[in-house]
Amino acid sequence: MSQSLYIIKIGGNVIDNPEACSAFLNDFAKINAPKILVHGGGKIATQIAASLQIETQMVEGRRITDKPMLDVVTMVYGGLVNKNLVVQLQAAGCNAIGLTGADGGIIRSVKRPVKTIDYGFVGDIEEVNGTQINALLTSRLIPVIAPLTYSSEGLLLNTNADNMASGTAVAMSQFFKTKLIYCFEKKGVLSDPDDDNAVISSLTPPTYADYKSTGVINKGMIPKLDSSFAALEAGVSTVTICHAADLLQAVEGLAGTIITL
Amino acid sequence: MSQSLYIIKIGGNVIDNPEACSAFLNDFAKINAPKILVHGGGKIATQIAASLQIETQMVEGRRITDKPMLDVVTMVYGGLVNKNLVVQLQAAGCNAIGLTGADGGIIRSVKRPVKTIDYGFVGDIEEVNGTQINALLTSRLIPVIAPLTYSSEGLLLNTNADNMASGTAVAMSQFFKTKLIYCFEKKGVLSDPDDDNAVISSLTPPTYADYKSTGVINKGMIPKLDSSFAALEAGVSTVTICHAADLLQAVEGLAGTIITL
C-alpha cells in the first residue's frame, strides 16, 4: 500500500489548446509512477455538432445529451480526443491505452432519472471496477479515460469527467496510496477571484469551513471541493487542484491547492 | 499451445446493418474461448464526412485519407463504431475492450510512402505486439480492434482491417493455436459468382492453384486468399471465410471455406 498512484484530470480548456495540451502530455509522460489520465471533452464536440446541424441544448449550464448528441460525444470524446491523446503519449514513450467506462467494464453508471429536467443520455456513476483497472496497470498500461460510461442495459452515457476521476481515485485506494490531481486554467483555489496568484496552498475541513462561511472561495469551486473532501473520506490520500502547466510541481507537492483531511 | 484463439474480422456491411450486427455480436459473445474482434469501418464515415462537407476521394477504389478525413475515421471507427460494438458486447456478457493499434501500442505501422498515389494518412503494418495483446487476454479482456494504427512519430493511420486481422493472427500464433475467421456477406469462396450456394468447402495450396489457373475464383477474392495462405505459412492454424450469420458454425468448422496448408 506504500506505492503512489496518480489520477490526473485534465479539462477541456487544455484539450482545446494544442500547444498547452502537448506540453501537458510531455509532463504527464515524465511522471515516474503508475498513473491514469481522465480527460474532459472540450469545445470541439459543440463545433462538430454545429457542423452536423445538431443543436446543442444547454439547461442551467449543462449539456442535454439526446441521441444525436450522444453519437457526437461518442465520436469526439471516445474517438477524436481520446485517440489523439493516446498517440501523442505513445510518441512520448508512455504506453497509453484509451478507454471509456464501457471498455473492460471499468466504470458503470445509471442513466440519470428524469426529474424536472431530462438530461438525456447522461450517466451517474454506480461502480468503478478497480480490480480491472489494476490489472491494466499491472500490465504496465497507462489508462487514458474519456468522459463516457455505460449502463448494464448496453447504453453509452455522457458522464462528468471530474466525477469519473474522483470515483476512479476512490476505487483505486484499495490498491494504492492514491493522489488525485485536478488540472485546470488557474493556479489553484483562489482567495481572491481577481488575483490569479492568490492561491490557497492547503485546505482541510476546518479551514475550508472558515473560507466557505466568509464567502472567500468562489462558489463555482464548491462542488469540486465538496467532492474532493468526500473522496478523501473514502480513502484517497490527497487531492490537489492546480494549473495544467504546473503538473510536475504539483506531483512533488510544490504547486496548487493541496486538500487533505 | 493447445488452446485455441479466435480472431474474427467483421466487415463494414454488417456494421451498417443494426439487426445483422446485433445478431452477430450475440453469436460472438457465445464463443467459449479466447477471442478478438477486428472490425471494418462501414459507410457511416462517408456519410459523416459528407455532412461535414469533407469530400471523400477514392483512387482505384481506395479511400484517400487526408487530414480532415483522418479526423473523421478516427471519430467514426475509433469512437462511434468501436464503442457501440463494445457496449453491445458488454450487455451480452462479454468483457470487451475497444482498441485502436495505438492503444497499448498493439499495432504499429508506417505511413505508406508516396509512389504514384499519395494515399495520405494510411498505414502499412510493421509490428503487432502479441505480448501486450496476450496480457489483455490473460486479464480476461476481449479486444475489439478498430481499423486504425499508429506510427512511432505519433500519427494515427487509417489501416486495412483485413491486414490488421491477419497480422494479429500471425503475432498471436506464438501463444495460441490461432484460428482466423473472415466474416462477410457471402457464405464463403464461391466457385460460381452467380450462385451464392456454390461454396468451395476447403482450399489448400494445390486446389487454390487449380482454381486460380482455371479462373474459377472471383478475382476480388485473390488478395484475401493470398494473404490467408501467407498467414498460414507464418503460423496461423486455419483461416475460414464465411457469412457473418454463420459465425458459430464456422467456429465449429461446419460453415464457410476452410483454408489450410
Side-chain angles (χ1 to χ4, degrees):
Chain A
M1 198 59 155
S2 60
Q3 194 179 15
S4 292
L5 168 69
Y6 293 90
I7 316 258
I8 294 159
K9 152 81 200 311
I10 184 74
N13 62 309
V14 176
I15 305 280
D16 288 333
N17 179 332
E19 290 75 28
C21 188
S22 171
F24 171 83
L25 293 173
N26 283 323
D27 285 346
F28 178 82
K30 285 179 190 148
I31 299 171
N32 188 21
K35 54 198 170 186
I36 294 171
L37 181 62
V38 180
H39 65 85
K43 289 184 191 144
I44 190 166
T46 304
Q47 291 162 6
I48 299 256
S51 300
L52 293 171
Q53 321 282 324
I54 295 167
E55 195 186 344
T56 295
Q57 301 172 62
M58 305 290 281
V59 174
E60 294 172 12
R62 304 177 86 163
R63 185 191 298 269
I64 304 294
T65 309
D66 59 7
K67 184 63 173 66
M69 186 57 75
L70 178 66
D71 284 350
V72 169
V73 298
T74 301
M75 292 198 292
V76 174
Y77 303 165
L80 190 63
V81 172
N82 188 266
K83 298 314 168 193
N84 276 294
L85 294 175
V86 165
V87 79
Q88 286 181 76
L89 286 170
Q90 286 286 347
C94 176
N95 195 13
I97 185 166
L99 304 168
T100 66
D103 297 291
I106 58 168
I107 307 180
R108 189 171 53 74
S109 63
V110 62
K111 185 169 180 289
R112 185 171 298 165
V114 178
K115 290 177 189 169
T116 51
I117 298 170
D118 183 358
Y119 287 100
F121 294 94
V122 166
D124 293 316
I125 296 171
E126 281 211 326
E127 190 183 11
V128 178
N129 187 339
T131 303
Q132 188 73 72
I133 296 171
N134 195 41
L136 296 172
L137 293 170
T138 303
S139 300
R140 296 178 174 277
L141 292 163
I142 310 297
V144 175
I145 303 178
L148 295 162
T149 57
Y150 79 115
S151 73
S152 42
E153 301 85 36
L155 297 176
L156 288 165
L157 295 167
N158 192 5
T159 306
N160 180 283
D162 280 6
N163 293 346
M164 290 180 74
S166 65
T168 302
V170 169
M172 298 315 291
S173 299
Q174 61 185 309
F175 304 106
F176 292 91
K177 191 174 164 186
T178 302
K179 299 179 176 186
L180 173 59
I181 303 180
Y182 289 109
C183 293
F184 78 142
E185 69 280 9
K186 301 278 181 187
K187 289 186 177 176
V189 182
L190 303 180
S191 57
D192 176 354
D194 297 325
D195 179 0
D196 274 355
N197 290 312
V199 177
I200 300 170
S201 61
S202 70
L203 279 176
T204 57
T207 57
Y208 178 48
D210 280 354
Y211 282 124
K212 263 207 298 196
S213 67
T214 55
V216 163
I217 291 177
N218 191 306
K219 274 189 184 162
M221 291 301 292
I222 304 285
K224 195 175 284 219
L225 289 169
D226 283 346
S227 112
S228 296
F229 281 107
L232 293 167
E233 294 282 356
V236 173
S237 175
T238 59
V239 181
T240 303
I241 299 181
C242 69
H243 197 289
D246 295 334
L247 173 63
L248 291 180
Q249 288 164 276
V251 164
E252 300 294 329
L254 301 173
T257 301
I258 300 170
I259 305 161
T260 51
L261 289 184
Chain B
M1 198 55 154
S2 60
Q3 195 179 15
S4 293
L5 168 69
Y6 294 90
I7 316 257
I8 294 158
K9 153 81 201 313
I10 184 75
N13 62 309
V14 176
I15 305 279
D16 287 332
N17 179 333
E19 290 76 27
C21 188
S22 171
F24 171 82
L25 293 172
N26 282 324
D27 286 346
F28 178 82
K30 284 180 192 151
I31 300 171
N32 188 21
K35 55 198 170 186
I36 295 172
L37 181 61
V38 180
H39 64 85
K43 290 185 190 142
I44 190 166
T46 303
Q47 291 162 4
I48 299 255
S51 300
L52 292 171
Q53 319 282 322
I54 295 167
E55 195 186 343
T56 295
Q57 300 173 61
M58 305 291 280
V59 174
E60 295 174 11
R62 304 176 85 164
R63 185 190 297 270
I64 304 293
T65 309
D66 59 7
K67 183 63 172 69
M69 187 57 75
L70 177 67
D71 284 349
V72 170
V73 298
T74 301
M75 291 197 293
V76 174
Y77 301 165
L80 190 63
V81 172
N82 188 265
K83 297 315 169 193
N84 276 295
L85 293 175
V86 165
V87 80
Q88 287 181 73
L89 285 171
Q90 287 286 349
C94 176
N95 195 13
I97 185 168
L99 304 167
T100 67
D103 297 292
I106 56 167
I107 308 181
R108 189 170 54 73
S109 63
V110 62
K111 186 170 178 289
R112 186 171 299 165
V114 178
K115 291 176 184 166
T116 51
I117 298 170
D118 182 358
Y119 287 101
F121 294 94
V122 167
D124 293 316
I125 296 170
E126 281 211 325
E127 190 183 11
V128 178
N129 187 340
T131 304
Q132 188 73 73
I133 296 171
N134 194 40
L136 296 172
L137 294 170
T138 303
S139 300
R140 296 179 175 274
L141 292 162
I142 310 298
V144 175
I145 303 179
L148 295 161
T149 57
Y150 80 115
S151 73
S152 41
E153 301 85 36
L155 297 176
L156 288 165
L157 295 167
N158 192 4
T159 306
N160 180 283
D162 280 7
N163 294 345
M164 290 179 74
S166 66
T168 301
V170 169
M172 297 316 291
S173 298
Q174 62 186 307
F175 303 106
F176 293 91
K177 189 174 167 189
T178 302
K179 300 180 175 185
L180 173 59
I181 302 179
Y182 290 109
C183 293
F184 78 143
E185 68 280 10
K186 302 278 182 185
K187 288 186 177 176
V189 181
L190 302 181
S191 57
D192 175 355
D194 297 325
D195 180 359
D196 274 355
N197 290 313
V199 176
I200 299 170
S201 61
S202 70
L203 278 176
T204 57
T207 57
Y208 178 47
D210 281 353
Y211 282 123
K212 264 208 297 198
S213 68
T214 54
V216 163
I217 291 178
N218 190 307
K219 274 190 184 160
M221 290 301 293
I222 304 285
K224 195 175 283 223
L225 289 169
D226 283 347
S227 113
S228 297
F229 282 108
L232 292 166
E233 294 280 357
V236 172
S237 176
T238 59
V239 181
T240 304
I241 299 181
C242 69
H243 196 289
D246 295 334
L247 172 63
L248 291 180
Q249 288 164 277
V251 164
E252 300 293 329
L254 301 173
T257 301
I258 300 170
I259 304 161
T260 52
L261 290 184

